[in-house]
Amino acid sequence: IHIPAAAISVLLLGPGTDVTQRAMELIGDAGVSVAWVGEHGVRYYAGGCALTHSARLLIKQAECVSNQRKHLQVVRKMYELRFEGEDTAGLTLQQLRGREGSRMRKLYKACAARTGVAWNGRSYDPDDFSVGDPVNQALSAGNACLYGLAYSVISALGCSPGLGFVHIGHERSFVY
């Protein structure tokens, strides 16, 4: 299939996809990120190379992750950008994570009520996509696509997906 690489920003490739070396070269030259995903787009396995030729952002990321005060400042700023008007000044990392989890549960419930979709909570088996109900399958597939896009942006900027702020200790902490 011919794809106009210059017209897209990220290409998600699933199982069984064959891509020629020349196609990957053209995709890279066009600045398109590539993410290899699992069946149904549920898992994200790998991404392409950075578009930057500088380690400036990676160095800044590592500096902020490594310094406890700066680390928490970044987390608070991330929350303030996402949730305008919310005061995060005295909150710990654990409290901020708890707020996000609570906010997401409320959001899922409110969206289900607004749209009339039956909602029994977020439930999925990462090893078996098919056991989830259709809503949870859609959320899992959507999250996988979002993670793939986030990973490709992080990589394109030359940052490390493993050096996270809200989440830590996983190879894709910054992605989450």
Side-chain angles (χ1 to χ4, degrees), residues 102-121 135 139:
S102 175
R103 186 179 284 111
M104 290 309 300
R105 285 187 294 279
K106 287 178 187 173
L107 180 63
Y108 286 146
K109 189 175 183 177
C111 287
R114 183 175 46 83
T115 59
V117 172
W119 179 249
N120 297 314
V135 175
L139 288 171

Side-chain angles (χ1 to χ4, degrees), residues 102-164:
S102 175
R103 186 179 284 111
M104 290 309 300
R105 285 187 294 279
K106 287 178 187 173
L107 180 63
Y108 286 146
K109 189 175 183 177
C111 287
R114 183 175 46 83
T115 59
V117 172
W119 179 249
N120 297 314
R122 185 75 172 105
S123 175
Y124 64 97
D125 180 350
D127 295 321
D128 190 356
F129 179 79
S130 65
V131 299
D133 62 43
V135 175
N136 276 289
Q137 286 179 349
L139 288 171
S140 294
N143 281 330
C145 291
L146 180 61
Y147 290 158
L149 181 59
Y151 193 108
S152 63
V153 169
I154 290 165
S155 297
L157 292 173
C159 294
S160 170
L163 295 180

Side-chain angles (χ1 to χ4, degrees), residues 57-72:
L57 289 177
L58 177 60
I59 292 167
K60 183 68 174 175
Q61 180 189 17
E63 175 188 324
C64 290
V65 164
S66 302
N67 179 298
Q68 192 173 15
R69 184 183 49 78
K70 289 181 181 182
H71 186 129
L72 193 52

